[in-house]
Amino acid sequence: MELPRTADVVVVGGGVMGASTAYHLALKGCKNVLLLERNPLFGQEATGKCAGGIRYQFATEINIRLSLLSLPLLDRFEEELGQAIDLRHCGYLFLLTREEDIKTFKANVTLQHRHGVMTEWLDGDTVRSRLPLMRLDDVLTATWNPRDGLADPNGVVQGYISGARRLGVKCLTDTEVTGIVLENGRIRGVKTRKGELGTPILVNAAGPWASQIGEMAGFEIPVVPVRRQIAVTTPIPQLPIDFPFVIDFAKNLYFHREGPAILTGMSNTDEPPGFNQQVDREWELVHFEAAMARMPLLENAGVSSRWAGLYEVSPDAHPILGRVDEVEGLYLINGFSGHGFMHGPACGLLLAEEILDGQARALDITSLRLNRFRKGQPILEYNVV
Ligand SMILES: Cc1cc2nc3c(=O)[nH]c(=O)nc-3n(C[C@H](O)[C@H](O)[C@H](O)COP(=O)(O)OP(=O)(O)OC[C@H]3O[C@@H](n4cnc5c(N)ncnc54)[C@H](O)[C@@H]3O)c2cc1C
């Protein structure tokens, strides 16, 4: 498909954020939308490399509200878009092994209950009897929400891209955005490797590369890429079908069922920012040692696949969403810091509302604007894994 000469809105980036935004813009009647992705396929960067976790258990009101808006959109996804997304409400279990975490989680669960998210407490013995395949002697307590779970990131991206195309959106791959044309502080157009086009509105949905789009517009977007990696084991026949998404909170270590196998990840808190997406084999050894200590039967499993991807990290681990003061016509949907996949459906909808109606209607997102950092009003989040 040829690059059009003009568009009402150009969306840069074809991961979950760009795909959801393009779809929701078209659904609200904005048809002349162009989505540009530089890779040969959509959804192959952070979105395609993510663990697929979806949860209501968060530590700040805005994240709980985003989940309350987003997860029901995933519940209705197949009906709305005709695309299967392998949705599983297998629950998230946060294992707590330190007294200081229990205090913080008590406050989080109280906040969740206030918003109708009925997370439960399980005592250590209950957790041990529920998960006989894990070694959990040091677990003091755990939080459990059976409505949390998993969904297929590729299905979600494909569903939104196909839905957007049916509504008239042009979605192009192999089209890298290389520059932004500004006039008197406003967006006027976009430069790509295939040529230039005019547009009054640009959406930065470039994920871990968000700050590069900021540089093209002449200001700083404080989003840094940070490598995170995952391994999937060979099949484990003993694995129960209802094995939940388990997070060992103190160790930043997680496990969930991936078909007949286990998918596991562990965040290296010393990982420096950067675009390197090679698997770090040294860190993998640290990760596997911790994983086998928690789940001894992993010692008998092989590794069927492994990969690294990039978190797109903001200074307060919360999204940067909405218009900016610096450039008229530029909108950001960036900085999701490790949990963007699950909030992509809601955030695409909210940004489409802000662009077309002047403000988001389903949820007040003014606290998520970029200018919160200049105003010294960051949001504090605890449950970052
Ligand atoms: C290992 C790992 C595990 C994760 N686990 C979870 C999880 O369990 N649950 C959860 O909710 N989230 C998880 N996340 C986070 C989640 O993946 C991200 O927050 C989310 O996918 C971000 O989506 P995005 O569309 O902003 O970014 P991306 O999916 O990276 O999409 C951005 C796109 O922009 C394109 N692009 C960049 N620059 C340009 C340009 N100049 N021109 C054209 N195109 C451009 C890129 O090629 C890319 O396709 C995880 C992330 C990782 C790395």
Side-chain angles (χ1 to χ4, degrees):
M1 190 188 284
E2 289 220 343
L3 193 72
R5 301 183 58 171
T6 60
D8 292 343
V9 182
V10 173
V11 179
V12 186
V16 68
M17 298 305 160
S20 170
T21 306
Y23 169 73
H24 284 107
L25 282 166
L27 195 64
K28 285 181 65 61
C30 178
K31 303 292 182 200
N32 190 10
V33 177
L34 176 67
L35 184 151
L36 301 177
E37 166 56 50
R38 69 174 165 204
N39 285 346
L41 295 169
F42 298 107
Q44 299 301 296
E45 293 294 349
T47 306
K49 290 168 182 163
C50 93
I54 58 174
R55 61 180 154 109
Y56 289 96
Q57 294 191 63
F58 274 102
T60 58
E61 178 169 347
I62 188 72
N63 270 336
I64 295 170
R65 286 184 183 275
L66 285 173
S67 290
L68 284 166
L69 190 61
S70 212
L71 272 55
L73 295 177
L74 290 171
D75 289 335
R76 296 201 299 272
F77 196 92
E78 188 166 351
E79 191 187 331
E80 181 177 340
L81 285 132
Q83 167 78 46
I85 58 166
D86 199 15
L87 190 66
R88 283 156 286 164
H89 290 291
C90 59
Y92 260 62
L93 192 64
F94 277 93
L95 306 176
L96 304 181
T97 53
R98 299 182 302 206
E99 287 293 344
E100 67 261 32
D101 293 334
I102 298 178
K103 204 166 149 241
T104 311
F105 270 70
K106 277 197 174 141
N108 298 348
V109 171
T110 303
L111 183 67
Q112 290 160 21
H113 286 181
R114 209 178 301 144
H115 292 279
V117 172
M118 300 321 286
T119 301
E120 300 162 29
W121 285 98
L122 302 183
D123 62 40
D125 288 339
T126 307
V127 180
R128 283 182 275 280
S129 66
R130 275 212 192 177
L131 294 175
L133 297 181
M134 301 192 91
R135 189 178 290 152
L136 303 169
D137 324 356
D138 58 336
V139 171
L140 302 172
T141 181
T143 63
W144 162 249
N145 192 316
R147 295 295 299 159
D148 296 342
L150 291 163
D152 168 28
N154 291 313
V156 171
V157 171
Q158 283 316 317
Y160 279 139
I161 294 284
S162 307
R165 281 182 165 152
R166 284 196 295 275
L167 293 169
V169 175
K170 294 180 194 71
C171 302
L172 303 189
T173 53
D174 298 301
T175 312
E176 181 171 359
V177 168
T178 53
I180 295 174
V181 183
L182 297 171
E183 197 183 290
N184 299 328
R186 290 166 172 240
I187 296 285
R188 278 287 172 254
V190 180
K191 293 177 185 170
T192 80
R193 292 212 185 277
K194 291 182 176 166
E196 201 171 311
L197 76 147
T199 185
I201 296 176
L202 185 72
V203 174
N204 177 358
W209 296 270
S211 69
Q212 295 178 353
I213 305 297
E215 278 164 30
M216 293 176 199
F219 68 100
E220 191 199 346
I221 297 172
V223 171
V224 294
V226 179
R227 176 170 57 171
R228 293 287 180 249
Q229 60 194 44
I230 280 176
V232 180
T233 65
T234 50
I236 297 177
Q238 303 94 317
L239 207 57
I241 197 76
D242 60 351
F243 189 82
F245 197 128
V246 180
I247 300 189
D248 179 342
F249 185 71
K251 294 206 171 69
N252 280 311
L253 170 67
Y254 59 87
F255 307 83
H256 73 68
R257 206 190 147 99
E258 185 81 349
I262 280 282
L263 178 151
T264 174
M266 181 165 156
S267 299
N268 178 358
T269 48
D270 292 329
E271 180 72 36
F275 289 103
N276 181 2
Q277 295 198 61
Q278 297 294 315
V279 171
D280 175 348
R281 292 300 187 121
E282 273 182 41
W283 177 252
E284 195 180 65
L285 290 178
V286 178
H287 168 200
F288 286 176
E289 198 177 327
M292 287 187 290
R294 267 289 168 240
M295 204 170 184
L297 88 176
L298 293 184
E299 285 169 24
N300 304 321
V303 176
S304 71
S305 57
R306 45 166 66 85
W307 65 87
L310 301 170
Y311 275 15
E312 69 292 2
V313 179
S314 78
D316 60 5
H318 275 71
I320 303 175
L321 189 62
R323 69 174 71 94
V324 295
D325 301 334
E326 289 81 355
V327 175
E328 203 179 323
L330 181 63
Y331 292 81
L332 309 185
I333 181 163
N334 304 128
F336 288 83
S337 309
H339 40 260
F341 164 61
M342 69 185 90
H343 289 162
C347 290
L349 165 70
L350 291 162
L351 194 61
E353 290 177 346
E354 172 144 325
I355 293 169
L356 299 179
D357 305 336
Q359 72 178 77
R361 302 199 178 279
L363 183 64
D364 182 356
I365 55 168
T366 45
S367 66
L368 295 177
R369 294 233 169 98
L370 176 65
N371 62 16
R372 71 179 182 270
F373 301 112
R374 204 176 47 232
K375 290 181 178 169
Q377 294 169 339
I379 303 164
L380 298 174
E381 164 68 90
Y382 193 67
N383 283 5
V384 178
V385 179

